[in-house]
Amino acid sequence: MDSSVFFLLILSFFCLTLTSCVYGSVGDRSEAFRNCLSQCFWRKCPAKAAPQSTIDLPNDDWSRNQPWYLKLLVWECEDECKYSCMWEVVEIFQKNDRAVPQFYGKWPFVRLFGIQEPASALFSVFNGLAHFFMLQKIVQRVPRDAPTYRLWYSYALISMNAWFWSAVFHTRDFPFTEKMDYFGALAGVLFSFYTFILRMIGSDQAWKWLVPGAACLTFFVYHVHYLAFVHFDYGYNMLANVTVGILNSVGWLVFCVVKRNGRSWRDMAPCALSVLFVDCLMLLELLDFPPFLWTFDAHSLWHFGTIPVTFVWYKFLIDDARHLCGIKKTDKIA
């Protein structure tokens, strides 16, 4: 079995086993956390503590003392209570020599200026900037009439959109930002699979790009509609992403072998290495551990690792586009 397929199958099994724990974890189910929340709601959130009560409830006017950046990122009273109680419970667990717990399916992170997962958010921004930078390289080095110019231009825009929503989601986790992060991620990997199909069969005839394009778009629309309006199923979403990821990964590795077209293995190496390295990075999702310095967890390191891969991958895309035009690597375009 191809190593990339093996890694992705393991990842899919692991992620699917976790989906049942998304809505609750050891930390937020603990009695200490529930008691802390109850007391915090009573002190700070009278509307949450007793929404129908006419009794005067204590209130320390927390909102008046709240920093502007927390207000900007919509940290409500309930969110503040959950955040402060989370750290109280973490301290209790550590004092009793118990493992650091997760809360609502996530590790405890120290927020930075209101950003919930600062490392993942920052690395998502860097990934988006890497795609933007390499898009400029495409514009500079690939002729406008190249068969794949528009394809890779679109790919860069879709990738930047995906990383934008990743940064937003890791900044503040709301149902809307979560959905947009998931939809953006699927759009990116699905469009990459679409580009693989076009590079395999060509795009010289309309049906060659219309048929696979319609199939991918139909699946994407169904996926978004189902998760947004029918049932937000974490297991189904993960299965869909991993399945497309497997097809995409194996497909590009096959492309490196069957579509050399006179090119050396060295010319195809950036493609193969990018795919294999991303597959290896996925193992970080298996090595789930409490965040180092309460900031860097396995997921953030996965985001960090994809930054340099972006430059290698685009190098191949640019060289491949120029190869289709009969342009050598050392040649400049007018």
Side-chain angles (χ1 to χ4, degrees):
M1 180 183 291
D2 183 273
S3 61
S4 62
V5 179
F6 179 70
F7 291 159
L8 287 167
L9 287 176
I10 292 178
L11 177 63
S12 64
F13 172 78
F14 176 80
C15 292
L16 288 174
T17 60
L18 291 180
T19 54
S20 61
C21 303
V22 170
Y23 293 104
S25 300
V26 173
D28 58 90
R29 290 199 304 263
S30 67
E31 184 177 355
F33 185 78
R34 293 197 302 268
N35 290 339
C36 178
L37 274 187
S38 179
Q39 295 175 15
C40 185
F41 287 162
W42 180 264
R43 294 193 313 269
K44 297 184 178 181
C45 316
K48 180 69 178 179
Q52 306 300 327
S53 176
T54 58
I55 302 174
D56 290 334
L57 297 172
N59 187 351
D60 65 354
D61 293 329
W62 65 273
S63 61
R64 277 190 269 180
N65 301 319
Q66 188 183 37
W68 65 269
Y69 49 83
L70 294 183
K71 293 181 180 179
L72 179 65
L73 294 178
V74 199
W75 280 87
E76 301 288 354
C77 182
E78 182 179 353
D79 302 319
E80 292 286 350
C81 283
K82 288 181 178 179
Y83 182 77
S84 60
C85 287
M86 175 183 71
W87 289 114
E88 286 190 25
V89 172
V90 168
E91 185 176 354
I92 292 173
F93 271 60
Q94 290 184 318
K95 285 183 178 180
N96 290 278
D97 295 323
R98 297 178 61 184
V100 175
Q102 290 190 338
F103 297 82
Y104 303 103
K106 292 189 174 185
W107 292 112
F109 291 92
V110 172
R111 67 186 180 189
L112 180 64
F113 299 111
I115 300 174
Q116 281 182 275
E117 301 176 41
S120 290
L122 180 63
F123 296 153
S124 295
V125 171
F126 286 163
N127 272 284
L129 291 176
H131 283 275
F132 177 78
F133 177 81
M134 294 310 294
L135 174 59
Q136 312 312 309
K137 294 296 182 182
I138 289 177
V139 173
Q140 295 170 9
R141 302 199 62 214
V142 178
R144 296 293 180 92
D145 58 352
T148 55
Y149 177 84
R150 292 184 179 180
L151 189 67
W152 300 133
Y153 197 99
S154 301
Y155 169 79
L157 294 179
I158 292 173
S159 297
M160 285 188 287
N161 175 74
W163 286 112
F164 168 79
W165 286 111
S166 175
V168 171
F169 170 64
H170 289 300
T171 297
R172 281 297 274 129
D173 180 357
F174 295 118
F176 175 75
T177 60
E178 181 180 42
K179 289 183 175 66
M180 294 305 295
D181 176 45
Y182 289 170
F183 298 159
L186 179 63
V189 70
L190 191 60
F191 193 81
S192 179
F193 179 63
Y194 172 65
T195 63
F196 150 71
I197 295 175
L198 292 190
R199 285 299 291 115
M200 287 294 288
I201 67 176
S203 57
D204 53 320
Q205 299 177 3
W207 71 267
K208 290 184 177 181
W209 57 271
L210 280 175
V211 173
C216 291
L217 182 60
T218 300
F219 171 69
F220 181 74
V221 171
Y222 166 79
H223 182 83
V224 171
H225 175 266
Y226 179 77
L227 292 180
F229 302 106
V230 180
H231 175 55
F232 194 75
D233 188 332
Y234 286 91
Y236 162 71
N237 178 71
M238 184 60 65
L239 180 62
N241 276 274
V242 171
T243 300
V244 177
I246 290 174
L247 295 173
N248 185 55
S249 177
V250 175
W252 279 109
L253 291 177
V254 171
F255 174 86
C256 292
V257 176
V258 304
K259 284 292 185 176
R260 287 174 58 196
N261 296 332
R263 286 176 285 184
S264 67
W265 289 112
R266 184 176 181 180
D267 292 331
M268 307 304 291
C271 175
L273 290 176
S274 296
V275 172
L276 291 174
F277 191 65
V278 169
D279 290 344
C280 291
L281 283 173
M282 282 188 166
L283 289 177
L284 285 170
E285 299 290 358
L286 299 179
L287 304 174
D288 200 18
F289 51 82
F292 177 66
L293 298 177
W294 304 115
T295 302
F296 303 97
D297 67 331
H299 188 70
S300 68
L301 295 180
W302 145 259
H303 283 339
F304 177 76
T306 55
I307 298 172
V309 178
T310 301
F311 297 97
V312 179
W313 175 244
Y314 273 89
K315 179 184 183 306
F316 165 73
L317 300 185
I318 292 172
D319 290 343
D320 183 63
R322 290 164 64 89
H323 172 78
L324 292 177
C325 297
I327 303 174
K328 297 180 180 179
K329 290 184 179 182
T330 55
D331 292 344
K332 295 183 179 181
I333 62 174

